Amino acid sequence: MNEQVQPKRPALSRLLLVLVPLAAMLGMFVWIASLDPLRSFNNGAPPVEALTVERTILDETGIGLLVRAGGSDAMVIAQVAVDDAFWTFTQNPPGPIVRGGAVWIQIPYPWVLGEAHAINMLSNTGASFEHEIAVAVPTPKATVGQLRLQALVGAIVGLLPVALGLMFYPAMRSAGRVGVSFLLALTVGLLTFLLIDMTSEALELADQAAALFQGSAMVWLSGLASFLMLMAIGRWRGTPEGLALAFYIALGIGLHNFGEGLAIGGAFAAGSAGLGTFLVLGFALHNVTEGIGIAAPMLRIRPPLWSFAALTLLAGGPAVLGMWAGSLAYAPQWSALAMAVGAGAILQVMVEVTAYLMRQSSDRQAVLFSPAVLGGFLAGLGFMYATAALIKV
C-alpha cells in the first residue's frame, strides 16, 4: 500500500507555524508576569536570600570578596563584620545585587598573616552569610616571575611525567599480542580511576557553587554533552586507531591534568606552600603511567618524532594553564564545569580504547576476560589508587 505524500508547504507557511506558537508563548509569559497571581499569597515575609563567596583576595588594601547573589529578589548588603567587629566596606558595582549578579566587596581590614578570620555579611533584611578564611596569606599577583614559577611547577606535574612515560615506547614495541593487550587494559584501568576521581571532585566543587548553577545537574549534563560530542567527532571518519587514538587519549588526560593544575594552584594561593610541594611530587609520580597509556595504541605503527612532542604538550600542557587559573582566577562553578568536560572526554577515550582492544582478537567477548586484560586493568586501577594516596590530604 502506497503512502500518501503530503504536499510541501511554502516557506512562509512553515515559518508562521513556528512563529505563531512562539508569539503565543511569549504573550503568556508577559501576561503571567503582569498579573502576578501569587501576590495575594504574600504574608509579609522577607524574600529568600542567598549569597555565595566565589573568590577571596588578600592584599595590602585589606580583604576582597567576589560574591554572587542567588535569592528570589535583588538583595542589599547592609553591614559586614570581620572577627565579630563591624567594618566599613565598599561594593563594586554599588546598589542592590540582582539574582545571579556578582559584585566585589572590599573590606579595609588589617588581616594577620597565618591567622584565621571570620567574615559575616548581613543583608538589609537581617539575613546573615558567613565566610571563613582558614589561613590568611597574600593572594598571588600576575607578575612575570610568578607566572614563570607556576609554569615550571605545571611542567613538572604535567609535561615531565608524560614525557617519561612516552620514553617507554621503544621497549613497549617488543611486546607481543599478550603484552599489547595488557598495556591497552592498563590504559583503560588508569582512565577508569581518573574518571571516578574527576567526577567526584567535580561534584564536590559544584556543591560550593551558587545554587542557581544547579551544580550536580551541570556536572552530569556537561560530562554527557562532552562525551557525545567527542564520540561524534571521533567516529566522523571511522573508528580511531593508532596515532589518532593516542591523540584522543592525550586530550582526555590533558583535560584531567588541567583539573590537577587547578588543585595545585589553589593550594599555593591558599598559602599551603609545603602542601603544594608535596602535591607536586605526588602528582608527578601519579602521572607517569599516563605517557604509557598514550603510547599503547601506537605500538603497531611508527609515528613521526614530532607526534611525541605534540602528545606530550597536549596531555601535560594544560597543567600549566590550570596552575595559572587556580592561583589567579579560581571559581568553583567554572572549575566544576572544566572537570565535568574532562570526565566526559575520559569516558569517550575509555570506550574507544576498549573497542580497539576488542578488535585485536577474533573472539571479542573472551578477550575482555583474559588474564592479560584483567591483570592490566586491575594493575592500572591499583597503581593509580596507590599513588593517589600520596596527594590526598
Side-chain angles (χ1 to χ4, degrees), residues 12 18 24 42 181 190 248:
L12 180 59
V18 176
N42 189 359
S181 298
L190 70 90
Y248 275 109

Side-chain angles (χ1 to χ4, degrees), residues 354-368:
T354 303
Y356 179 72
L357 174 62
M358 295 176 65
R359 290 195 299 271
Q360 304 307 301
S361 174
S362 57
D363 191 349
R364 298 187 175 185
Q365 299 298 328
V367 70
L368 293 180

